[in-house]
Amino acid sequence: MIPHSLTAENYFSAENNMKYMSCSQFKSFLTCEASALAELHGEYQREVTDALLVGSYVDAHFEGTLDIFRAQHPEIFTKSGELKAQYRQAEYMIQRAERDKLFMQYMSGEKQKIMVGEIAGIPFKIKIDSYHENNCIVDLKAIKDFKLIWNVEKGKKQHFINYWGYDIQGAIYREVVRQNTGKQLPFYISAITKEKEPDLDVLWVPDEDMDNALEEVISLAPRFQQLKDGLLQPQRCGDCGYCRFTKVLTEPRNYHEDCEVYEVEQQ
Ligand SMILES: [Zn+2]
């Protein structure tokens, strides 16, 4: 094992986020460099939506840290101290998952296993939801549903695994585990939906997909590291909360500009 001083408590500290690239940080840079950098510098915080918190609630249950999560998030309770409807739904999702033998088998590995490694010479940290030493790497995802998602930028519908960059996450996990143990393990996603009647699945991400995703990490990580080191100017996506927050108007625009973009998107 490659030595490190990361713990559950300091994993997301500002210091360790600067010292190491993580999967979520890498994906933030992919989405909007300016926003990712502002977040790292503590200048901007992404909105924590109910949908995100429901996912965290389910995560906390499987981590065995639900008591701490409930204590840290009083907003999930009503004034009379009952769980709000969304979080009762999260409880229902957990119960549904617990009824499935295969789902639970994949979730039964070592919880929140932390490792560090290097990709393209850049230090990375990972935290695996369910690590089965010698067998496989499993990540838990609570998602809206299993429908394909329209990717405006790519102009096509995508599987949620590709849309949310979970293949990239798998590639980083697989590579860091390989550096630590010498073993290249398969990557699975235990997914449960937030639908009223939740759907669930255990999905395998083929190695070939992760080989391609790792190439993407290797090609982009150096640029993201240079941004962290302050050697490059970040690109703005122009669309996210941070870009809206920091937008400065310079002159009026012809509104047809937006329609043209819209027409291209529809083709
Ligand atoms: Zn942006």
Side-chain angles (χ1 to χ4, degrees):
M1 286 280 170
I2 301 167
H4 63 81
S5 58
L6 296 174
T7 63
E9 288 72 34
N10 70 18
Y11 187 83
F12 289 111
S13 73
E15 192 191 341
N16 285 323
N17 283 341
M18 283 309 283
K19 192 167 163 192
Y20 297 99
M21 187 86 68
S22 66
C23 295
S24 57
Q25 199 183 111
F26 184 87
K27 285 192 281 177
S28 294
F29 273 112
L30 264 185
T31 310
C32 179
E33 293 178 354
S35 171
L37 204 59
E39 221 175 315
L40 275 177
H41 292 159
E43 295 158 6
Y44 185 74
Q45 253 194 322
R46 263 181 298 177
E47 188 197 358
V48 180
T49 59
D50 269 340
L52 274 180
L53 263 191
V54 166
S56 305
Y57 187 101
V58 176
D59 281 342
H61 168 83
F62 282 99
E63 260 180 65
T65 57
L66 195 52
D67 288 343
I68 301 168
F69 180 85
R70 284 168 163 223
Q72 284 172 344
H73 295 277
E75 70 272 29
I76 69 175
F77 296 98
T78 62
K79 277 186 191 135
S80 58
E82 307 243 311
L83 266 182
K84 284 184 184 167
Q86 308 89 295
Y87 303 98
R88 286 205 303 275
Q89 172 67 11
E91 285 285 344
Y92 188 66
M93 290 161 66
I94 291 162
Q95 285 164 17
R96 178 65 191 91
E98 286 182 332
R99 267 203 292 129
D100 192 274
K101 214 174 137 196
L102 187 86
F103 195 99
M104 293 310 284
Q105 193 189 321
Y106 276 79
M107 287 311 299
S108 69
E110 192 181 339
K111 301 287 155 53
Q112 304 303 316
K113 178 74 178 171
I114 294 171
M115 292 185 200
V116 302
E118 247 184 41
I119 299 174
I122 290 138
F124 271 78
K125 57 177 176 174
I126 62 167
K127 190 157 71 145
I128 304 169
D129 285 341
S130 174
Y131 172 58
H132 300 253
E133 199 185 345
N134 305 321
N135 274 316
C136 63
I137 303 163
V138 183
D139 201 67
L140 173 69
K141 298 292 180 198
I143 58 164
K144 188 167 162 259
D145 56 42
F146 286 149
K147 291 192 189 88
L148 296 180
I149 307 168
W150 179 253
N151 185 324
V152 172
E153 213 175 292
K154 306 224 155 141
K156 61 175 181 183
K157 281 188 174 178
Q158 284 188 311
H159 194 280
F160 78 85
I161 288 182
N162 302 116
Y163 183 86
W164 295 112
Y166 297 152
D167 48 346
I168 290 173
Q169 185 180 355
I172 294 171
Y173 281 16
R174 187 187 65 161
E175 175 58 12
V176 171
V177 168
R178 190 194 62 76
Q179 290 176 12
N180 278 271
T181 66
K183 291 181 194 126
Q184 184 158 293
L185 299 179
F187 178 68
Y188 296 90
I189 288 178
S190 290
I192 182 147
T193 71
K194 296 173 184 169
E195 290 162 293
K196 197 159 185 211
E197 195 54 64
D199 199 353
L200 74 178
D201 227 329
V202 176
L203 298 168
W204 174 57
V205 183
D207 283 322
E208 200 185 296
D209 288 30
M210 292 204 288
D211 293 342
N212 293 335
L214 187 63
E215 284 304 315
E216 194 180 348
V217 178
I218 291 169
S219 73
L220 289 171
R223 173 177 171 85
F224 298 163
Q225 186 60 43
Q226 282 183 303
L227 286 164
K228 284 174 80 172
D229 294 339
L231 302 171
L232 288 175
Q233 279 298 317
Q235 300 266 2
R236 296 168 60 84
C237 75
D239 199 36
C240 71
Y242 174 76
C243 286
R244 292 197 301 269
F245 176 66
T246 52
K247 181 176 179 178
V248 179
L249 303 181
T250 50
E251 58 185 351
R253 297 188 309 114
N254 180 340
Y255 82 98
H256 279 289
E257 285 172 21
D258 300 335
C259 302
E260 279 158 25
V261 170
Y262 183 72
E263 276 157 21
V264 170
E265 278 171 11
Q266 294 304 300
Q267 279 165 12

